[in-house]
Amino acid sequence: MDDRVRLDRRALLRAGLAGSGLLLAGCTSDSGSGTPTDDGTDDAPAATTTTGPTGPMSGPLHETFEDGNYDSDPRWQADYEEGIGEVAVIDREGPDGGGKALRISDATDEELNESGNRASATLARRITGWDGAWTLDGQFYAADVPGGEYADDGHVAIGLYESNVELLLNPRVELLFFDAERGNREAETRESVLDEGRWYNYELTHDGTGTYEATRWRAGDDPSTGLSVTADRQPPSAEETLALVTYGGYPEFIDQPTPSPRPEPGSYRLTADHAYVRWRPGE
């Protein structure tokens, strides 16, 4: 393992460190430059991450990754364990009409993710206006999903780290709200594991007063055919740091018993290719 910092996902959610700029200190990956193939490989030399604009930005945001980079404005920063996780822009034609996607992949590591390792891409700047009404939506391709005994242990997640809110899209559609007492799972649906090789849409809305509604459905289908959850909580912070997270392998939570025999590193992989992510205030 290189000099990336091993981070506890739940501790970060409670502390909101992603929004403070401390999340990625010492653990930024390559810049996302180059033109990787569909298998996620990238032979181009890693470029030095450029210094972009500082301070919060106002919405709306519509990131398609069509420029082939994730360190252009708006700049994303990557965090993953070398040899286990991956963050890269790849060639992927999607239902949205684009030809690129941001691949975020994670799998079992030598510690079986017991310390909370995961792969993520986090916006380098906060966005203002989250305390009002808004809609956050996106589209991703389930390129690789865990199977067998541990099919339920990985997840694709969208995080709002200033307010410790997380939307899980696999294997369940859940809205998690973390607080100092580690309270979570405010609402959830029945289990429904993602199907490998399919595109999915998701949408998370906030009405401006603390009511959240989330839906995940297969691309091309009507949203009413998908899985939905609602929750009433406090409105989010006015400024939020948005993160796309993939967490693969066993166990998801460190208080679960260690399996015997222990799975080999990389045995259970989850890969999500994000065609776009979009945030619109006032809807």
Side-chain angles (χ1 to χ4, degrees):
M1 180 174 174
D2 60 14
D3 60 353
R4 292 181 178 85
V5 178
R6 185 179 285 264
L7 301 172
D8 187 318
R9 178 180 61 88
R10 294 178 298 165
L12 289 173
L13 285 165
R14 295 196 307 273
L17 293 182
S20 71
L22 298 178
L23 170 64
L24 297 167
C27 50
T28 300
S29 75
D30 62 41
S31 69
S33 301
T35 308
T37 62
D38 187 57
D39 64 4
T41 59
D42 186 355
D43 295 328
T48 302
T49 300
T50 57
T51 301
T54 60
M57 59 182 174
S58 59
L61 168 74
H62 189 185
E63 173 65 272
T64 63
F65 307 104
E66 288 302 302
D67 62 359
N69 300 304
Y70 60 71
D71 68 341
S72 55
D73 192 30
R75 185 163 59 92
W76 299 77
Q77 298 188 72
D79 172 33
Y80 58 92
E81 184 174 352
E82 191 71 40
I84 295 295
E86 178 185 16
V87 178
V89 177
I90 67 163
D91 294 325
R92 170 74 74 189
E93 293 185 6
D96 68 328
K100 300 288 186 181
L102 181 66
R103 167 161 290 185
I104 306 179
S105 185
D106 187 48
T108 49
D109 62 13
E110 293 180 356
E111 301 295 329
L112 300 181
N113 286 334
E114 291 168 353
S115 60
N117 271 18
R118 78 283 181 275
S120 65
T122 306
L123 273 178
R125 299 168 63 196
R126 298 184 182 97
I127 305 176
T128 62
W130 291 87
D131 52 343
W134 47 262
T135 298
L136 172 68
D137 66 332
Q139 189 174 80
F140 69 95
Y141 181 81
D144 195 7
V145 299
E149 185 177 358
Y150 305 117
D152 293 347
D153 289 312
H155 68 240
V156 179
I158 315 298
L160 300 138
Y161 288 115
E162 293 296 316
S163 298
N164 294 340
V165 178
E166 191 171 41
L167 167 62
L168 301 188
L169 301 168
N170 177 64
R172 298 163 292 274
V173 177
E174 295 181 310
L175 284 168
L176 272 62
F177 298 86
F178 292 79
D179 53 31
E181 288 73 38
R182 300 189 181 185
N184 60 16
R185 281 187 172 81
E186 178 74 10
E188 66 178 71
T189 70
R190 66 187 184 277
E191 293 184 1
S192 180
V193 177
L194 293 174
D195 291 328
E196 185 175 330
R198 285 189 175 271
W199 283 97
Y200 288 88
N201 287 80
Y202 64 87
E203 182 179 86
L204 173 62
T205 63
H206 176 250
D207 69 351
T209 66
T211 297
Y212 301 79
E213 182 175 3
T215 305
R216 187 202 75 201
W217 67 98
R218 287 182 177 178
D221 291 350
D222 190 271
S224 63
T225 65
L227 298 177
S228 296
V229 292
T230 59
D232 291 313
R233 197 78 171 192
Q234 294 295 320
S237 300
E239 295 182 2
E240 285 290 351
T241 297
L242 181 65
L244 307 176
V245 180
T246 298
Y247 186 85
Y250 184 97
E252 180 179 347
F253 297 107
I254 60 175
D255 55 359
Q256 293 183 10
T258 301
S260 180
R262 295 169 67 93
E264 292 295 323
S267 299
Y268 299 95
R269 176 169 297 278
L270 178 60
T271 301
D273 298 340
H274 294 266
Y276 71 89
V277 57
R278 177 174 55 178
W279 179 79
R280 295 160 287 163
E283 297 188 22

